[in-house]
Amino acid sequence: MKRRQFIGAAVVGATLMSAPMLRAQGRPRVVVVGGGAGGATVARYLAKDSAGALDVVLVEPNEVYHSCFFSNLTLADLRTPESLEHRYDKLAHLGITVLRDRAVGVDRARREVALGGGGVLAYDRLVLAPGIDFVAGSVAGWSEADAEIIPHAYRGGAQVALLRAQLGAMRPGGTFALVAPPNPYRCPPGPYERVSMVANLMMRINPTAKILVLDPKSTFSKQALFEDGWARHYPGMIERIGPGAGGNAVEVRPAVGEIVVAGAVVKFDVANIIPAQKAGAIADAAGLTEGGWVPVEPLALAAKTDPLVHVLGDAAAQGDMPKSGFSANSQAKVVANAIRAELTGSRAFPPRYANTCWSAIAPDDGVKVGATYTAGEGKIAAGEGFISQVGEAADLRAATYAESFAWYDAIGEDIFG
Amino acid sequence: MNDYPRTISHWRAAVGYGLSASMIGRRLNASKLSMLTFLAAAALFSAATAQSIVTVGQPEIEAPSCAGVPLSASPGAESSLVDPAKDLRGAIAAGQGDRDWGEYLAGECLTCHGLNAEANAGIPPLARLAPMDFASALEEYRRLLRPDLGMRLVAAQLAPDEVAALTAYFASLPPSPATP
Ligand SMILES: Cc1cc2nc3c(=O)[nH]c(=O)nc-3n(C[C@H](O)[C@H](O)[C@H](O)COP(=O)(O)OP(=O)(O)OC[C@H]3O[C@@H](n4cnc5c(N)ncnc54)[C@H](O)[C@@H]3O)c2cc1C
């Protein structure tokens, strides 16, 4: 309750603003748009490390962040939806001004961000971490307006809950169809972890159900590990149709529960459409996108066309790092160090980037893939890496699964305090 | 500040990392792990080479598969550098690590390791590790004596002065509040 009031006060401050909120004298302002894995980490590290030397403003429309990471586990009841909720009270207590508002425009010449609530924020540095939006028309017959019937469940919270409810209510022996996205997209193993978790649920509540995966990609992340796991845990339940057999050009008929694949009509009971993706709309509004994403330089993720705007997380076209919460968090610490050094004269350290993506195939059967990255020629370049192996001992898989839970707690603390 | 080898290839050459290639392809034998761990910790600060550890323990270590890139350096990298383990011991004992750099580097650790998190079955929190234990653990990962693929990668990419910086940072943290 106390926390609420604190955030509430900040929000009231924002809505009362009539004139542009000017930069406080002598204290450079960093405006961070988007309080997700990337943006909240930047804001937290800037505030924590600069000890009041910077005016950090975080703009985020939602009071609660529902992480996509681990959302697949809620489909198999391995996590509760509530356990994936994060609030901004600890960030506010660090001295960050948390504005519950949406950035609707960026005037880069004047260095101002326009807010949906009518306010205008001047900035010395701008950080955009808006995550993803969907490419309209990328799946024929389906639009975001249909998501209330056929969820994408590729943002956390309500969409994932809707999918879980539909799966729970599916008729015995029904068909669940998942349309996977083309590259690049958020969380490369995400759709396949989702298939695993839906299968796990079905084994328990609807063992004659079928799962149909329609995939525009010929190969996918951790493919050997997933396919091995599916054969061991969910034999005969999952069928994947790749691009050669029509998985790349499906047409969805939401009203009648049909998908047309290579001219054949397939009936589904529950479907999950994960469309093609692009940077969150504010990146486009700021005039920074190229092919849907924002090209950034590799040393501190400054937009290639504007060194005062850093873009990180899913929205950035940075090179080789996968679009993951881990990557966004890793990039955020590099960005925070660079911005702080530029604005306060603190020490600048060389960038270090890393990613690890854990995936649950079944309870106690976890796998992971990871790598480190360096600032290469014009892009963030992959260095060395590792991946779990098919045929690993069960206790290693169980340890990897347990590790992912520990990671979730640690990164949650690192992002939100 | 110091003149430790600054690059990963220097570091690897100096710790005899090329030799560890001979350990690859065999599976870690858990029953031998604790003895090896002890030996490795002892060896870390007495300039023993990876070679002697291999001979004593015959560890069977699983090949770290790294999306096609082995985690070990190619054999025959340059050698004849100062023994970084000795220098590292000195730096850690004297608290010479660069604390601020360590704080920055620690950002990478904190994505997975809680700082003061409650005892956590999956990944241990870091702040309560004594500096020497911390450095020894990293050295064991570097020598592939501990199994985790992720930590082997992390350890392989930390130069000695970076380890010293991290220990200086973790040592500077206030003790975590007692848990009720
Ligand atoms: C099913 C699934 C499973 C996943 N599993 C994992 C996993 O196991 N590990 C992992 O590392 N990653 C995982 N991910 C990926 C991870 O969720 C994303 O990569 C990560 O959230 C990206 O961080 P971000 O900061 O770029 O975007 P987000 O975390 O999406 O944050 C963006 C924020 O910006 C806000 N925003 C958007 N536009 C505006 C605006 N105009 N003004 C103000 N605020 C705005 C949004 O409200 C949101 O809070 C998974 C994703 C999915 C879908």
Side-chain angles (χ1 to χ4, degrees):
Chain A
M1 344 281 114
K2 226 171 159 190
R3 319 160 159 177
R4 276 250 179 103
Q5 281 162 12
F6 198 93
I7 294 179
V11 173
V12 168
T15 49
L16 289 181
M17 261 184 336
S18 46
M21 186 172 160
L22 298 172
R23 286 180 286 273
Q25 278 199 342
R27 221 163 62 115
R29 180 185 295 147
V30 183
V31 173
V32 181
V33 172
T41 307
V42 173
R44 181 166 172 268
Y45 272 71
L46 281 173
K48 173 172 86 61
D49 295 345
S50 72
L54 292 174
D55 175 14
V56 183
V57 182
L58 177 63
V59 183
E60 164 62 51
N62 300 312
E63 186 183 5
V64 178
Y65 178 79
H66 302 267
S67 74
C68 282
F69 26 113
F70 266 35
S71 65
N72 286 329
L73 277 72
T74 67
L75 299 175
D77 305 327
L78 300 172
R79 281 296 281 234
T80 63
E82 296 73 36
S83 74
L84 308 187
E85 292 180 357
H86 301 270
R87 290 175 173 73
Y88 298 95
D89 53 318
K90 291 191 183 125
L91 296 183
H93 282 293
L94 268 181
I96 297 165
T97 307
V98 182
L99 298 183
R100 200 179 325 144
D101 208 330
R102 174 175 288 278
V104 293
V106 179
D107 184 336
R108 292 195 281 117
R110 296 171 63 113
R111 286 196 262 149
E112 286 175 357
V113 177
L115 303 177
V120 175
L121 281 171
Y123 64 81
D124 294 287
R125 290 292 183 284
L126 176 62
V127 177
L128 296 181
I132 54 151
D133 266 308
F134 300 119
V135 176
S138 67
V139 178
W142 186 93
S143 79
E144 232 181 306
D146 297 311
E148 294 308 312
I149 316 159
I150 301 181
H152 54 74
Y154 234 58
R155 290 198 200 95
Q159 276 282 298
V160 182
L162 174 63
L163 179 58
R164 174 64 185 82
Q166 291 182 344
L167 290 165
M170 189 164 85
R171 74 176 169 87
T175 295
F176 167 66
L178 181 146
V179 175
N183 290 322
Y185 62 97
R186 147 179 293 188
C187 194
Y192 311 96
E193 182 187 58
R194 175 166 293 170
V195 167
S196 310
M197 293 294 94
V198 172
N200 190 263
L201 174 70
M202 290 303 146
M203 288 300 270
R204 207 154 38 80
I205 67 168
N206 191 348
T208 55
K210 292 283 174 226
I211 298 175
L212 182 63
V213 183
L214 301 157
D215 203 333
K217 304 179 296 300
S218 47
T219 60
F220 60 89
S221 171
K222 299 180 186 160
Q223 182 162 359
L225 293 165
F226 280 117
E227 288 179 346
D228 165 73
W230 294 345
R232 283 186 293 111
H233 297 289
Y234 320 115
M237 186 179 266
I238 300 161
E239 184 189 352
R240 176 172 166 270
I241 298 180
N248 57 328
V250 299
E251 183 203 331
V252 183
R253 296 172 177 167
V256 290
E258 292 173 356
I259 297 187
V260 186
V261 187
V265 173
V266 180
K267 285 253 169 215
F268 64 80
D269 297 276
V270 176
N272 173 207
I273 309 295
I274 309 176
Q277 294 161 30
K278 60 180 183 178
I282 189 65
D284 208 26
L288 294 169
T289 54
E290 200 183 291
W293 309 97
V294 183
V296 295
E297 53 75 35
L299 283 168
L301 296 114
K304 284 190 172 165
T305 53
D306 189 339
L308 302 186
V309 183
H310 297 257
V311 182
L312 70 150
D314 290 354
Q318 32 69 20
D320 295 346
M321 295 183 82
K323 297 184 187 302
S324 72
F326 197 122
S327 293
N329 171 266
S330 169
Q331 292 160 10
K333 294 169 204 174
V334 172
V335 171
N337 176 259
I339 290 179
R340 191 164 69 95
E342 274 185 9
L343 295 181
T344 72
S346 65
R347 289 170 69 190
F349 296 109
R352 293 178 76 94
Y353 300 109
N355 178 63
T356 298
C357 283
W358 282 269
S359 297
I361 297 176
D364 286 328
D365 192 349
V367 291
K368 61 180 172 178
V369 60
T372 55
Y373 301 82
T374 54
E377 291 272 322
K379 66 163 192 171
I380 296 181
E384 294 182 69
F386 63 86
I387 186 167
S388 300
Q389 298 296 297
V390 168
E392 281 169 342
D395 58 350
L396 176 55
R397 289 297 179 86
T400 305
Y401 181 79
E403 215 176 86
S404 70
F405 281 68
W407 163 78
Y408 187 91
D409 289 348
I411 198 172
E413 205 179 309
D414 198 40
I415 298 169
F416 296 100
Chain B
M1 186 189 63
N2 56 43
D3 54 358
Y4 306 137
R6 288 304 306 263
T7 67
I8 290 164
S9 60
H10 282 178
W11 163 256
R12 285 179 175 147
V15 297
Y17 216 69
L19 294 171
S20 66
S22 66
M23 297 152 89
I24 288 180
R26 286 171 285 171
R27 188 166 272 281
L28 185 65
N29 180 330
S31 68
K32 290 173 184 159
L33 183 60
S34 59
M35 185 183 76
L36 286 166
T37 305
F38 170 77
L39 285 172
L44 172 58
F45 298 120
S46 60
T49 64
Q51 177 80 69
S52 70
I53 295 174
V54 174
T55 312
V56 172
Q58 290 296 328
E60 299 172 302
I61 294 202
E62 187 184 340
S65 161
C66 318
V69 190
L71 275 189
S72 55
S74 52
E78 66 254 71
S79 56
S80 84
L81 288 163
V82 291
D83 175 2
K86 265 190 184 161
D87 289 356
L88 183 57
R89 175 180 56 177
I92 292 171
Q96 279 168 2
D98 181 338
R99 186 205 165 278
D100 290 352
W101 189 18
E103 180 171 16
Y104 172 72
L105 294 170
E108 197 173 321
C109 312
L110 295 174
T111 303
C112 303
H113 294 267
L115 201 48
N116 295 310
E118 286 312 301
N120 186 328
I123 303 175
L126 284 175
R128 289 181 195 146
L129 279 180
M132 287 300 185
D133 291 347
F134 175 77
S136 302
L138 282 175
E139 180 59 17
E140 288 159 27
Y141 280 115
R142 197 178 281 118
R143 293 174 188 249
L144 312 185
L145 296 169
R146 291 185 182 221
D148 183 68
L149 295 174
M151 278 309 300
R152 285 181 180 180
L153 178 58
V154 168
Q157 302 198 338
L158 284 171
D161 49 351
E162 293 175 323
V163 175
L166 281 166
T167 55
Y169 169 64
F170 287 124
S172 77
L173 295 175
S176 53
T179 44

